[in-house]
Amino acid sequence: MLNTVYWFKRWFLSTNHKDIGTMYFMFSIWSGLMGTGLSIIIRMELAMPGKMLEDGQLYNLVVTAHGLVMIFFLVMPMMIGGFGNWLIPLMLKIPDMAFARMNNLSFWLLMGSMILLLGSTYVDGGAGTGWTIYPPLSSIGYHSGRAVDFLIFSLHAGGVSSILASINFLITTALMRTGVMLILRSSMLSWCLGVTSFLLVVAMPVLAGGLTMLLFDRHFNTTFFDPVGLGDPILFIHLFWFFGHPE
């Protein structure tokens, strides 16, 4: 019993940057394997004439899930969360990150985001919108079920996770250096993660705003992206890539 409590506190409630970095790596590797499996399905479908899956919506679902898993659950957690948590405190010669509990929270929000994404594939045929979720394909007229709503909430949770992690890295690299570690003496990785974290703090709320507008279009009769109500579907593309390129 005591051993179980120890491991629970070690891995689920840990605020140590090495433990959290290791959890990020384990999560990223698992996500990468899942994304690779989805990629193999795409290649098998395209490798020969005719259909293997016999369902266009299922193929679109696989393409959507592959893109989102690789971007949000492999690249970002590994590059920022994994390497950042392991290397930044070592390079700045500090014992831990600035906000240790927030560091833990950002990881578990990412896990919740993955659960919502996986849940969306089992609801109403899944979300076959492509990983960019462009309207009108993601609007209520073309995806009338709840799958796109699950996807939107998944990206909201992932966005909150990224913002919390970015605030943590930004404050750590800017304000947690030791007396001898001047900012000009900091390693290039510290500079890169600090700048990247600033860009994510600026860009992530724009994606959240675009997704919220899409959610309102789907359920609250707004027309942000509907030309019939004088909306503009290209606006979502601008909002998405204002986030996507810095990210």
Side-chain angles (χ1 to χ4, degrees), residues 70-85:
M70 286 302 199
I71 294 293
F72 288 95
F73 303 110
L74 169 64
V75 175
M76 290 178 67
M78 182 173 285
M79 296 296 117
I80 303 273
F83 285 107
N85 270 293

Side-chain angles (χ1 to χ4, degrees), residues 135-136 213 217 221-238:
M213 292 159 72
D217 275 10
N221 207 31
T222 59
T223 56
F224 293 112
F225 309 123
D226 187 357
V228 175
L230 301 181
D232 183 7
I234 305 299
L235 173 62
F236 186 88
I237 299 177
H238 292 321

Side-chain angles (χ1 to χ4, degrees), residues 126-148:
T129 61
W131 80 275
T132 51
I133 326 173
Y134 288 161
L137 187 56
S138 57
S139 65
I140 198 74
Y142 292 90
H143 273 80
S144 57
R146 296 289 181 264
V148 175

Side-chain angles (χ1 to χ4, degrees), residues 7-24:
W7 284 109
F8 176 81
K9 293 178 68 175
R10 171 70 188 272
W11 292 110
F12 291 89
L13 302 178
S14 175
T15 56
N16 182 275
H17 69 97
K18 293 181 181 179
D19 290 343
I20 296 173
T22 301
M23 290 194 292
Y24 268 113

Side-chain angles (χ1 to χ4, degrees), residues 34-221:
M34 185 175 71
T36 302
L38 294 169
S39 175
I40 291 171
I41 294 173
I42 296 171
R43 282 162 172 75
M44 290 173 65
E45 175 68 30
L46 299 176
M48 62 192 74
K51 293 183 178 179
M52 182 192 74
L53 296 176
E54 299 294 341
D55 186 348
Q57 169 66 13
L58 179 58
Y59 176 75
N60 290 339
L61 167 63
V62 171
V63 171
T64 303
H66 165 71
L68 291 172
V69 165
M70 286 302 199
I71 294 293
F72 288 95
F73 303 110
L74 169 64
V75 175
M76 290 178 67
M78 182 173 285
M79 296 296 117
I80 303 273
F83 285 107
N85 270 293
W86 264 99
L87 297 178
I88 289 299
L90 295 176
M91 290 182 170
L92 297 181
K93 298 178 172 53
I94 55 177
D96 209 331
M97 302 293 289
F99 305 112
R101 294 189 184 278
M102 191 164 77
N103 202 14
N104 182 281
L105 176 62
S106 66
F107 172 79
W108 289 110
L109 279 170
L110 193 67
M111 189 70 76
S113 175
M114 172 60 91
I115 292 171
L116 284 169
L117 174 65
L118 295 178
S120 73
T121 62
Y122 293 96
V123 178
D124 297 321
T129 61
W131 80 275
T132 51
I133 326 173
Y134 288 161
L137 187 56
S138 57
S139 65
I140 198 74
Y142 292 90
H143 273 80
S144 57
R146 296 289 181 264
V148 175
D149 302 329
F150 271 76
L151 196 59
I152 289 171
F153 287 123
S154 168
L155 295 182
H156 272 309
V160 173
S161 169
S162 293
I163 289 171
L164 293 180
S166 298
I167 292 172
N168 204 358
F169 282 112
L170 185 59
I171 298 301
T172 302
T173 54
L175 303 178
M176 286 279 289
R177 301 183 310 277
T178 56
V180 296
M181 183 58 69
L182 301 176
I183 191 165
L184 293 177
R185 293 179 180 173
S186 299
S187 66
M188 185 60 72
L189 181 67
S190 302
W191 274 89
C192 289
L193 276 176
V195 173
T196 304
S197 297
F198 172 76
L199 290 174
L200 282 172
V201 170
V202 171
M204 270 293 179
V206 178
L207 175 66
L211 291 173
T212 303
M213 292 159 72
L214 178 60
L215 192 67
F216 273 53
D217 275 10
R218 288 175 55 81
H219 295 292
F220 297 104
N221 207 31

